[in-house]
Amino acid sequence: QRRARRTKGMSDAVTFVEGLRTIGGRCFFGLRLLEASGGVRAIAVGYSWKDPDSHCPLPGAAEEMDDSVVVGYAKPRLHDGEYVGDLDAGEWQPRQMKAGDVVGLLWESTDDGVQLAVFCSTAGGFRECCRFQLESAPFLQDGSQLWGVVDLQGRCTSVELLDAAEASEVGGFVQ
């Protein structure tokens, strides 16, 4: 399934992107926001290094999951297993997203540890909006499996996973 949609309420809409693997220490996935009406638009994206079945029952928000990293929400913040901090105003602002906008997330294992980069659509194309050094994320060997995490809250109700060609255009990487 390439689409996820919340059909009721304003929260409790955590879903996973399966089949992601690290290649060259990197893993990337991207999403297009399909539906976002007025009011508070809040989306968060991230990665989990544990099988989604281990998160049963699912929490009301992805930021409540252990063994995961999530960035976003209406008041943009980073959770790396626990609350890390708020994003600066110049960084990614999920509440400003509208239908058709794209967000991508890059996991990158380097000699200095694990970094997470958020890519977002802008009037001039795509750009890296922010990058974080993760403290509690494990260093993963090539071929390791990751699960993308998407949390639709507020008025963000539907997203579509980008195909490999679109993801390559956004982040410069092939899934």
Side-chain angles (χ1 to χ4, degrees):
Q1 177 102 2
R2 298 187 44 81
R3 292 184 179 203
R5 179 179 173 87
R6 188 184 69 239
T7 57
K8 63 180 180 177
M10 300 295 278
S11 61
D12 295 327
V14 177
T15 189
F16 293 90
V17 179
E18 297 182 337
L20 302 176
R21 297 224 177 256
T22 56
I23 300 171
R26 295 174 165 179
C27 185
F28 182 87
F29 78 97
L31 301 167
R32 177 174 293 105
L33 186 57
L34 297 176
E35 294 178 51
S37 58
V40 177
R41 296 177 297 277
I43 185 173
V45 293
Y47 285 101
S48 176
W49 44 93
K50 282 183 81 173
D51 186 315
D53 291 339
S54 69
H55 295 291
C56 289
L58 282 176
E63 65 189 356
E64 298 170 15
M65 296 187 314
D66 293 331
D67 303 313
S68 64
V69 58
V70 181
V71 61
Y73 296 109
K75 183 174 190 256
R77 56 195 181 269
L78 175 69
H79 283 260
D80 184 5
E82 60 184 37
Y83 173 79
V84 174
D86 295 339
L87 275 63
D88 293 331
E91 296 176 311
W92 181 47
Q93 298 295 312
R95 68 180 170 267
Q96 295 174 356
M97 289 184 70
K98 57 191 177 309
D101 284 352
V102 172
V103 61
L105 197 61
L106 171 67
W107 170 286
E108 192 167 27
S109 296
T110 68
D111 292 339
D112 297 326
V114 177
Q115 295 184 355
L116 187 73
V118 178
F119 291 80
C120 55
S121 55
T122 64
F126 299 101
R127 69 175 179 90
E128 184 177 312
C129 299
C130 47
R131 182 176 285 265
F132 308 97
Q133 186 74 31
L134 303 178
E135 300 301 323
S136 67
F139 182 89
L140 298 175
Q141 301 297 320
D142 274 358
S144 294
Q145 187 163 6
L146 281 169
W147 289 267
V149 178
V150 181
D151 192 353
L152 297 174
Q153 299 221 353
R155 299 290 184 196
C156 290
T157 56
S158 180
V159 293
E160 177 180 46
L161 185 64
L162 299 183
D163 64 27
E166 290 173 304
S168 181
E169 178 184 337
V170 174
F173 308 99
V174 177
Q175 288 178 294

